[in-house]
């Protein structure tokens, strides 16, 4: 009986389709979360897929200086190059396969822009930004950055070689991520060839969702079809099944997100995510009065 409970497979409970949204300096994202039918998957506040988009020389756009408070932004690039700068004095460049896990905490002003090379030469940009909420006790904590390069992100594979996973946070197929998270999180990027059929473990207490960004998969105990641009929430159990029919001609790509729900009130407005409306108003005042700082531009 206990064995049965421990190995229970999750079922797809809800499937939502991503909508398109214009962001930052004018780039389009595919956004499965939040949507009208899925405003939150606690602790995940937002999932944005940027691109894939091919920019001509001079065309690439990003998100110029803007603030955040009360949560974390996690950027994962598949193709292209981005550079970031912030009010705390951090700056860096992200390339394909790299991850930046930024804890905004009490407040940071940052910019997320294409590199000058991508701007000058043009090229493909494809990546993800997800927002992870922080519990009340950490909303006003000091900002923190974790930059994890592609080489530091462990990869696992199924025995038949048909499924591969990059483990950005948490663990999967016996490999463990380098990144440290404030609350228990699993963040995985799966590549599933036709005929792949894997199960991966999740904590029964976690909220679990998958975002298919390429191809078609069958997910969960009922092998429910989920296709590119759809996000599925899986309920109840400690195992998630991901499979691709042997008849498919292309591989599928899937992000798996799992996290322990924070179970606190969520008040959100633009770049701020707090517990109450009052705290949101305070965040806006603090930003406007410069208390979140500003990005110091280098003098050329
Ligand atoms: Fe941002």
């Amino acid at each position: 009986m206990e064995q049965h409970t421990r190995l229970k497979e999750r079922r797809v409970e809800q499937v939502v389709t991503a909508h398109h949204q214009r962001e930052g300096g004018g780039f389009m994202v595919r956004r499965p979360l939040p949507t009208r039918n899925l405003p939150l998957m606690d602790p995940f506040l937002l999932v944005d897929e940027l691109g894939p988009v091919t920019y001509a020389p001079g065309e690439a756009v990003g998100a110029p200086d803007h603030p955040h408070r009360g949560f974390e932004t996690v950027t994962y690039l598949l193709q292209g190059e981005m550079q970031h700068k912030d009010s705390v004095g951090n700056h860096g460049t992200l390339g394909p396969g790299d991850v930046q896990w930024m804890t905004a905490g009490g407040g940071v002003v940052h910019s997320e822009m294409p590199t000058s090379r991508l701007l000058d030469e043009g090229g493909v940009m494809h990546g993800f930004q997800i927002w992870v909420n922080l519990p009340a006790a950490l909303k006003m904590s000091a900002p923190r950055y974790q930059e994890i390069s592609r080489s530091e992100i462990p990869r696992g594979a199924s025995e038949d070689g048909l499924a591969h996973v990059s483990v950005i946070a948490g663990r999967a197929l016996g490999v463990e991520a380098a990144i440290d998270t404030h609350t228990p999180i699993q963040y995985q990027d799966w590549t599933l060839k036709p005929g792949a059929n894997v199960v991966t473990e999740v904590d029964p207490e976690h909220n679990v969702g998958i975002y298919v960004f390429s191809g078609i998969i069958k997910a969960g105990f009922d092998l429910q079809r989920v296709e590119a641009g759809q996000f599925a929430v899986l309920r109840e159990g400690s195992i998630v099944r991901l499979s691709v029919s042997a008849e498919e001609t292309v591989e599928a790509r899937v992000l798996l997100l799992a996290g322990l729900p924070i179970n606190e009130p969520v008040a959100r407005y633009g770049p701020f995510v707090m517990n109450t409306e009052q705290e949101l108003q305070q965040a806006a005042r603090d930003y406007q009065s410069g208390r979140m700082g500003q990005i110091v531009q280098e003098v050329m």
Side-chain angles (χ1 to χ4, degrees), residues 16 19 21 31-41 44-48 131 268:
V16 298
H19 58 281
Q21 177 86 27
R31 178 173 294 170
L33 180 79
T35 51
R36 192 159 37 132
N37 294 327
L38 187 64
L40 174 74
M41 193 185 79
F44 301 99
L45 298 158
L46 174 139
V47 176
D48 271 354
W131 290 9
R268 60 194 292 176

Side-chain angles (χ1 to χ4, degrees), residues 63 66-68 73 102 110 112 129 131:
H66 61 280
H68 292 293
T73 67
M102 180 186 86
H110 75 162
E112 301 158 283
Q129 185 166 96
W131 290 9

Side-chain angles (χ1 to χ4, degrees), residues 75-82 94-99 125-128:
T75 306
Y76 173 41
L77 269 197
L78 296 174
Q79 289 176 274
E81 287 181 340
M82 275 176 71
L94 289 183
D98 297 343
V99 172
M125 186 82 102
H126 188 202
F128 294 92

Side-chain angles (χ1 to χ4, degrees), residues 58-293:
E59 254 189 2
V61 287
D65 308 11
H66 61 280
H68 292 293
R69 171 181 281 181
F71 62 100
E72 302 181 291
T73 67
V74 182
T75 306
Y76 173 41
L77 269 197
L78 296 174
Q79 289 176 274
E81 287 181 340
M82 275 176 71
Q83 64 177 22
H84 70 93
K85 285 182 188 168
D86 76 13
S87 53
V88 192
N90 296 298
H91 57 88
T93 302
L94 289 183
D98 297 343
V99 172
Q100 182 205 60
W101 197 293
M102 180 186 86
T103 305
V108 75
V109 175
H110 75 162
S111 65
E112 301 158 283
M113 302 297 288
T115 59
S116 52
R117 188 172 71 172
L118 184 69
L119 185 60
D120 290 347
E121 298 174 9
V124 179
M125 186 82 102
H126 188 202
F128 294 92
Q129 185 166 96
I130 69 168
W131 290 9
V132 181
N133 206 1
L134 286 169
L138 291 171
K139 282 191 178 294
M140 295 301 285
S141 61
R144 175 173 80 158
Y145 278 84
Q146 295 178 82
E147 288 204 4
I148 312 292
S149 68
R150 177 192 184 91
S151 62
E152 296 171 282
I153 295 174
R155 284 172 66 81
S158 60
E159 273 177 28
D160 61 11
L162 296 177
H164 287 84
V165 61
S166 294
V167 184
I168 297 164
R171 57 182 299 130
L173 299 187
V175 296
E176 182 124 21
I179 213 141
D180 177 43
T181 63
H182 283 296
T183 59
I185 299 283
Q186 281 179 289
Y187 184 0
Q188 304 162 1
D189 172 10
W190 288 87
T191 301
L192 303 163
K193 294 194 169 83
N197 182 20
V198 288
V199 291
T200 188
E201 283 184 46
V202 293
D203 189 314
E205 302 297 317
H206 284 198
N207 285 332
V208 178
I210 53 171
Y211 176 59
V212 179
F213 62 96
S214 182
I216 299 166
I217 69 162
K218 290 181 172 170
F221 182 74
D222 296 332
L223 295 176
Q224 183 149 345
R225 178 190 163 101
V226 188
E227 60 180 51
Q230 291 185 320
F231 187 95
V233 179
L234 293 110
R235 297 285 188 215
E236 284 176 16
S238 58
I239 286 176
V240 172
R241 181 174 299 277
L242 302 171
S243 62
V244 173
S245 163
E247 277 82 61
E248 296 293 342
T249 53
V250 293
E251 64 184 25
R253 294 292 298 274
V254 181
L255 297 186
L256 183 147
L257 296 170
L260 187 66
I262 293 170
N263 288 321
E264 289 178 1
V266 175
R268 60 194 292 176
Y269 182 75
F272 309 125
V273 183
M274 304 301 290
N275 298 109
T276 68
E277 289 296 320
Q278 266 183 331
E279 290 167 346
L280 282 183
Q281 289 162 16
Q282 186 64 48
R285 282 196 298 272
D286 287 351
Y287 172 54
Q288 281 154 14
S289 65
R291 257 175 279 173
M292 290 184 193

Side-chain angles (χ1 to χ4, degrees), residues 288-300:
Q288 281 154 14
S289 65
R291 257 175 279 173
M292 290 184 193
Q294 62 181 31
I295 300 174
V296 178
Q297 301 299 334
E298 295 148 44
V299 180
M300 300 298 278

